[in-house]
Amino acid sequence: MPISPDQQAEIDALRAEPKQTLRAVSEGMEAHLYKAIPVLDHGFVRVIDYMGNDEAICQAARVSYGRGTKSVQNDEGLIRYLMRHWHSTPFEMCEIKLHVKLPVFVARQWIRHRTANVNEYSARYSILDREFYIPEPAHVNAQSVVNNQGRGGVLEGAEAARVLETLKSDSNRAYDNYEAMIAETGPDGEPQDGLARELARMNLPSNIYTQWYWKVDLHNLFHFLRLRADAHAQYEIRVYADAICNVVADWVPAAYRAFEDYRLGGATMSNTALECIRRMVKGEDVTQETSGMSKGEWREFIGVLNDPA
C-alpha cells in the first residue's frame, strides 16, 4: 500500500492541528500539506514543509521588505521576466521539503540531482518492507532501437507474462532469503546470530521501495522537473515529477505558469538550428545535408518543430 495506517493517522493528526503564523503562506500549498499522493504501486509523494510563495520571489527580486506590488499582473510579469532571462536567484528563496517513497532504481536516478538535501531510510538498522515495484503490463516495453537509454514498443502475450512473473518471483525469493539471513532462528528452528542488516540488504533487488526526505529550493526543483517531467524521461521517475508538478502549480501558480511556458513547454535551440529556421521562414527548403547538423541533431530538431513531445 502507498501509506500505512500509522502514517495515515499521523497525517490526520497533523492536519487536525492548524497553527497560526506570521510568515508568508500559500493557500494552494496548505491544502497539500502532509497528504500522501499515490505514485506507482506502493509509492507516494507528500509535502512536509515549505517556505515562500509567488510574492516571496518578487520580494527577493526587488530586495524589498514587504509584499510584492499592489498589482498581481505586475508581479506575474516580473516572474515571467525572471524566468525568461534565467535570473534564478529569486526562485531560490522558496523551498519545499518532500517525503517520497520510491523504488531504489528510481532513487538512484533521482539522487543524481545533487542540489538538494536528502535523508534516506537506513537499511543498516531498519528492516525493509516486502514491497517491490512491478510495472503494469502497459509499461513493460522492449528496448528502443533508436535510443540506447529508452523504451520501444510494449511487450505482449507470453513474453510479457514471462517477464512479469520473473520480476515477481525473483523479488519474493530475494526477500525470503533476506529474511532468512537476518533471522535469529534458523530453518531447523535452532537459534542463530543472523547476518548484519547492512550486509543482508545487498541481496535485495533495486525494485524494492525506499523512502527519503528531500528538501530543495524552487530554482533547483524546476531544473529537476524540466528533465524528469519531460516526455522522454523514464516513466517511473516521470510519474513522480508529474505529481510534484501538480503540487508546485498550486504552491506558486505564477512561477509555475512561467516555468511551464518557458522551460517545460519551451525548447532550447543552437545557433545552427535558429539559422535553419530563419532560412525556412524565407522559403528555403532546408535538409539535413544542408543544415550543418548531424543526423541525430536533425532528427531532434525536426521533432521539436513537428511534435514538442
Side-chain angles (χ1 to χ4, degrees):
M1 65 178 67
I3 58 171
S4 68
D6 287 345
Q7 288 173 324
Q8 185 59 56
E10 179 188 0
I11 292 170
D12 294 341
L14 288 167
R15 290 193 59 81
E17 298 181 2
K19 296 177 176 61
Q20 186 176 6
T21 179
L22 294 176
R23 70 173 189 171
V25 298
S26 164
E27 294 303 322
M29 183 62 101
E30 293 292 311
H32 285 290
L33 265 177
Y34 310 124
K35 292 180 180 178
I37 303 168
V39 184
L40 297 179
D41 48 0
H42 300 292
F44 62 73
V45 172
R46 68 186 187 115
V47 181
I48 299 300
D49 200 1
Y50 73 99
M51 179 178 73
N53 55 13
D54 279 330
E55 289 181 355
I57 298 169
C58 297
Q59 179 184 342
R62 299 186 176 103
V63 198
S64 66
Y65 58 85
R67 298 168 62 86
T69 62
K70 294 181 179 179
S71 169
V72 174
Q73 289 78 12
N74 284 350
D75 276 3
E76 180 151 8
L78 173 59
I79 288 172
R80 290 181 64 82
Y81 175 88
L82 296 170
M83 184 70 70
R84 188 165 63 248
H85 292 280
W86 298 86
H87 294 310
S88 60
T89 308
F91 297 102
E92 295 173 3
M93 301 299 121
C94 295
E95 292 190 347
I96 186 172
K97 185 195 297 181
L98 300 173
H99 177 195
V100 187
K101 183 179 178 183
L102 68 173
V104 166
F105 74 92
V106 175
R108 297 304 159 251
Q109 279 190 312
W110 194 311
I111 204 67
R112 295 188 64 198
H113 297 267
R114 299 181 299 275
T115 50
N117 304 112
V118 185
N119 195 54
E120 185 174 1
Y121 182 93
S122 175
R124 293 187 67 191
Y125 61 83
S126 297
I127 298 174
L128 291 166
D129 294 327
R130 187 190 288 265
E131 290 183 321
F132 302 94
Y133 169 63
I134 305 298
E136 294 292 330
H139 299 294
V140 179
N141 302 73
Q143 174 63 40
S144 170
V145 296
V146 296
N147 184 349
N148 289 334
Q149 62 176 13
R151 289 169 162 158
V154 176
L155 296 181
E156 297 180 354
E159 184 177 9
R162 184 175 67 251
V163 167
L164 288 171
E165 180 55 35
T166 299
L167 289 171
K168 293 175 186 176
S169 61
D170 282 358
S171 298
N172 282 299
R173 181 166 56 252
Y175 197 88
D176 288 342
N177 291 330
Y178 169 71
E179 283 189 317
M181 287 188 289
I182 63 176
E184 296 180 356
T185 303
D188 56 0
E190 294 297 318
Q192 65 178 19
D193 291 333
L195 184 65
R197 293 169 185 172
E198 67 176 21
L199 290 172
R201 62 180 174 169
M202 67 184 174
N203 195 50
L204 292 168
S206 63
N207 65 331
I208 197 166
Y209 274 83
T210 185
Q211 301 183 42
W212 62 27
Y213 271 28
W214 191 69
K215 183 171 72 71
V216 65
D217 67 62
L218 183 60
H219 165 62
N220 286 298
L221 177 59
F222 277 153
H223 179 68
F224 171 85
L225 295 176
R226 183 178 68 85
L227 296 174
R228 302 307 183 178
D230 184 88
H232 302 94
Q234 182 172 345
Y235 167 77
E236 283 79 12
I237 196 168
R238 190 172 73 243
V239 289
Y240 282 92
D242 289 342
I244 296 171
C245 279
N246 292 332
V247 171
V248 176
D250 291 336
W251 172 28
V252 282
Y256 185 79
R257 283 192 293 268
F259 163 72
E260 196 172 32
D261 195 12
Y262 291 115
R263 301 285 185 272
L264 201 56
T268 300
M269 291 194 174
S270 66
N271 184 62
T272 301
L274 287 174
E275 184 57 33
C276 286
I277 291 176
R278 295 185 187 102
R279 289 161 61 189
M280 290 174 175
V281 169
K282 293 178 181 178
E284 183 178 342
D285 182 18
V286 182
T287 65
Q288 187 265 313
E289 291 75 15
T290 63
S291 67
M293 301 183 199
S294 67
K295 289 182 179 179
E297 288 175 312
W298 179 256
R299 183 176 63 249
E300 293 171 6
F301 172 67
I302 294 300
V304 169
L305 295 184
N306 293 335
D307 182 4

